[in-house]
Structures are given as structure tokens and as C-alpha cells.
């Protein structure tokens, strides 16, 4: 099992108690925080070289007008 993934500011995620290897989590920016692409993404629980990790998610949620 994977532990809980690191959260992303202003992104929503429905949290479970346990995450299994191969599970994919879908993140989406909260309303008003989607000015910077990408506005959604996924993380996958994987076993790499005997370690269980979450894949990297390059996603930023911001309400900046720039």
C-alpha cells in the first residue's frame, strides 16, 4: 500500500484510508484556482526498485491574474 499522497495547494482530492499499488488519483484545481495550466492531473502509486512511491504531479493551482 502507498501512504497518503502529498497534497497540492487549492486542489481537491477525495481521500481514502488506504491506497494500493497501481491506484491512480485524480487532482483538480478548486473553483477560482485554475489560471495556470495544467489545471488537473493524476498521481499513480507505483513500486520502483522495491520502494512504493507516488508519481510526480506537476500541477499548480493559483488564482493569480498574471
Amino acid at each position: 500500500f502507498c501512504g497518503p499522497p502529498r497534497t497540492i495547494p487549492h486542489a481537491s482530492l477525495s481521500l481514502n484510508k488506504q491506497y494500493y499499488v497501481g491506484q491512480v488519483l485524480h487532482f483538480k484545481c478548486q473553483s477560482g484556482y485554475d489560471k495556470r495550466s495544467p489545471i488537473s492531473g493524476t498521481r499513480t502509486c507505483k513500486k520502483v526498485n522495491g520502494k512504493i512511491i507516488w508519481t510526480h504531479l506537476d500541477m499548480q493551482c493559483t488564482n493569480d491574474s498574471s
Side-chain angles (χ1 to χ4, degrees), residues 8-51:
I8 294 171
H10 311 297
S12 56
L13 167 69
S14 53
L15 292 174
N16 295 325
K17 294 283 188 273
Q18 290 186 314
Y19 301 94
Y20 54 87
V21 174
Q23 183 167 2
V24 177
L25 299 181
H26 297 270
F27 290 81
K28 185 162 177 46
C29 289
Q30 294 169 349
S31 180
Y33 287 94
D34 57 0
K35 301 293 185 210
R36 202 173 288 171
S37 190
I39 62 166
S40 64
T42 60
R43 296 186 88 171
T44 306
C45 177
K46 287 187 172 181
K47 191 169 191 174
V48 179
N49 298 328
K51 284 180 153 179

